[in-house]
Amino acid sequence: MNLLTVLIMVVTGFIFASFVEYWIHRLMHFSHKIGERHRDHHRRNEGQGVLWEFRDYLKGSLIILCPMFFISWSAGIGWFVGGLIYAAFSAYAHQLQHDNPTKCFWMKMPVHYVHHQYNMWHHNFGLGVDWWDHVFGTYQSVEWLTEEVLNQPERGFIELRWK
């Protein structure tokens, strides 16, 4: 097994998974059939819990996680692990932005929180990262650190709904 290939494919799989997640989320806002469950998510404005989100992301991504095994074991393992890591990270980031958005330190603004809080049906589609919103022009900055957000009790990075 070629370790360099595995590492390159882990990074590539992670990035590609973030790209797919962005476009699937965006598609949910434009397709009535695909977006039915997602519209309910917007009405409730809450995540399912990290573990349930992870399960759904993994189920939805299995079709894109396996094809690299046809190229080589090294490429397949790296790609699969990169996608798996992104699915776990995205599930955590999604729930964190619903439960504790101020802890989303890796983004200037927690885009998914803003997407919900300000009813942005055409902006801020990222869940785990905001890269693709910047690339495709859907990033819309708002002043999100309101008094209400700042006055919420201090919570840690793992104080969120897990299941």
Side-chain angles (χ1 to χ4, degrees):
M1 186 176 316
N2 184 336
L3 187 58
L4 181 59
T5 300
V6 172
L7 292 175
I8 289 169
M9 293 309 288
V10 166
V11 172
T12 306
F14 184 93
I15 293 168
F16 185 72
S18 72
F19 176 79
V20 169
E21 171 251 309
Y22 168 85
W23 280 104
I24 297 279
H25 186 198
R26 196 167 172 181
L27 182 62
M28 287 177 180
H29 283 261
F30 292 101
S31 169
H32 186 70
K33 184 177 180 180
I34 294 173
E36 187 173 331
R37 184 172 172 211
H38 188 65
R39 282 188 300 283
D40 181 55
H41 166 65
H42 270 269
R43 281 190 288 277
R44 289 181 293 106
N45 194 18
E46 64 184 12
Q48 306 177 82
V50 175
L51 298 175
W52 292 113
E53 295 290 340
F54 177 67
R55 179 205 62 180
D56 284 354
Y57 299 164
L58 191 57
K59 278 184 358 186
S61 62
L62 278 176
I63 195 164
I64 64 165
L65 291 178
C66 295
M68 286 295 175
F69 284 103
F70 293 111
I71 294 174
S72 74
W73 277 104
S74 297
I77 289 170
W79 183 261
F80 192 90
V81 168
L84 194 66
I85 291 169
Y86 188 77
F89 171 67
S90 186
Y92 170 77
H94 181 234
Q95 193 65 46
L96 184 68
Q97 290 182 72
H98 279 285
D99 295 351
N100 200 358
T102 60
K103 294 297 184 194
C104 214
F105 67 88
W106 60 92
M107 289 187 272
K108 182 179 176 186
M109 173 185 78
V111 289
H112 189 70
Y113 170 79
V114 167
H115 174 79
H116 276 267
Q117 194 67 21
Y118 297 96
N119 198 24
M120 293 186 167
W121 203 252
H122 303 289
H123 299 284
N124 300 325
F125 295 103
L127 297 182
V129 296
D130 59 6
W131 310 326
W132 304 113
D133 283 303
H134 288 284
V135 168
F136 295 108
T138 55
Y139 186 87
Q140 185 173 355
S141 183
V142 297
E143 194 59 48
W144 69 277
L145 280 171
T146 63
E147 264 191 61
E148 179 185 340
V149 172
L150 292 171
N151 288 330
Q152 290 181 351
E154 181 65 28
R155 290 179 286 173
F157 289 95
I158 61 170
E159 291 182 67
L160 47 97
R161 183 173 167 194
W162 286 90
K163 55 182 183 165

